[in-house]
Amino acid sequence: MSGHSVPALYQAAAHCLDYPDDRLFERLPLFSAGAPALRPFLERAAVLGRAALCEQYVQVFDFHNRHCLHLTWWQDGDTRRRGGSLARLKQIYREHGMQLRDTELPDYLPVVLEFCAATGSSDLLLEHRPGLELLRLALDEVDTPYVHVLNALSASLPGPTPRDRAAARALARSGPATETVGLSPYGHLDLLPVLGNGGH
């Protein structure tokens, strides 16, 4: 990512991973100039047009847990533990003066990306990198331009990019100690259908 702004990448990626609206298409040239790593997605979006991209978004993200954009789900699943993770994120945002709308969950990837862009820190992405990588690998298995956004985010983070699910699970196992105390070796990641031989 040398020579280009990582915060600009995160800000543009936040728009790309939210439901497509007119603003996204108005800003395609701006995002292409400011975040060159997203050009494979941006060029595909321009060819598809808004209606087709909206349909793609719904098909990819609204019907499959294995394409979940809520990062604590990958870590905690639908458990009570997830409530604590969400509360922690809200507290982090409040400490930085960021207020969420009532309709937003703090672990929604576009929200996390906006926070990372505003603070210039990728710490929250690194915390949730195993989930990010499993999402990237799942998107790579389907014909969707959205995988290019996850590829760009993965490439922006330090260390080697996990090439398969085993490597992503290893990331979870060696993740932040504060996140793994008292948890199973992989947390919720070990229970996901994405880690098996298929299924949604």
Side-chain angles (χ1 to χ4, degrees):
M1 294 300 300
S2 61
H4 298 297
S5 168
V6 172
L9 167 65
Y10 292 162
Q11 187 66 52
H15 285 274
C16 294
L17 290 173
D18 205 359
Y19 185 79
D21 59 14
D22 287 334
R23 289 183 305 165
L24 171 63
F25 281 84
E26 290 168 359
R27 296 174 181 177
L28 289 182
L30 177 66
F31 291 156
S32 183
L38 293 176
R39 283 176 186 162
F41 169 80
L42 298 169
E43 291 169 359
R44 183 69 180 139
V47 170
L48 286 171
R50 186 185 171 197
L53 189 64
C54 287
E55 182 179 350
Q56 172 90 200
Y57 188 93
V58 170
Q59 289 296 322
V60 170
F61 295 116
D62 289 0
F63 296 119
H64 304 292
N65 273 349
R66 67 199 301 259
H67 300 157
C68 185
L69 288 172
H70 291 91
L71 295 181
T72 65
W73 181 87
W74 292 93
Q75 173 184 293
D76 301 324
D78 294 321
T79 65
R80 283 183 292 180
R81 187 172 61 204
R82 187 179 176 203
S85 297
L86 292 172
R88 175 177 169 270
L89 283 174
K90 285 183 179 179
Q91 180 61 30
I92 291 172
Y93 294 161
R94 280 195 296 269
E95 290 172 356
H96 287 81
M98 181 177 175
Q99 295 294 324
L100 296 180
R101 292 187 289 269
D102 291 339
T103 56
E104 292 176 331
L105 286 176
D107 65 338
Y108 182 48
L109 182 50
V111 172
V112 175
L113 287 167
E114 286 188 14
F115 175 80
C116 291
T119 61
S121 169
S122 59
D123 286 352
L124 287 183
L125 292 177
L126 286 169
E127 265 189 37
H128 294 276
R129 190 170 188 184
L132 277 174
E133 296 296 350
L134 287 170
L135 173 60
R136 179 182 63 83
L137 291 166
L139 293 179
D140 193 45
E141 293 175 358
V142 296
D143 183 22
T144 175
Y146 284 101
V147 70
H148 298 304
V149 183
L150 272 296
N151 286 340
L153 292 177
S154 181
S156 77
L157 299 174
T161 297
R163 299 186 64 176
D164 55 29
R165 293 164 181 166
R169 286 202 300 266
L171 262 180
R173 188 170 60 245
S174 62
T178 55
E179 293 296 315
T180 57
V181 171
L183 305 184
S184 63
Y186 306 135
H188 176 60
L189 299 178
D190 202 33
L191 304 177
L192 294 179
V194 73
L195 302 181
N197 293 321
H200 297 284

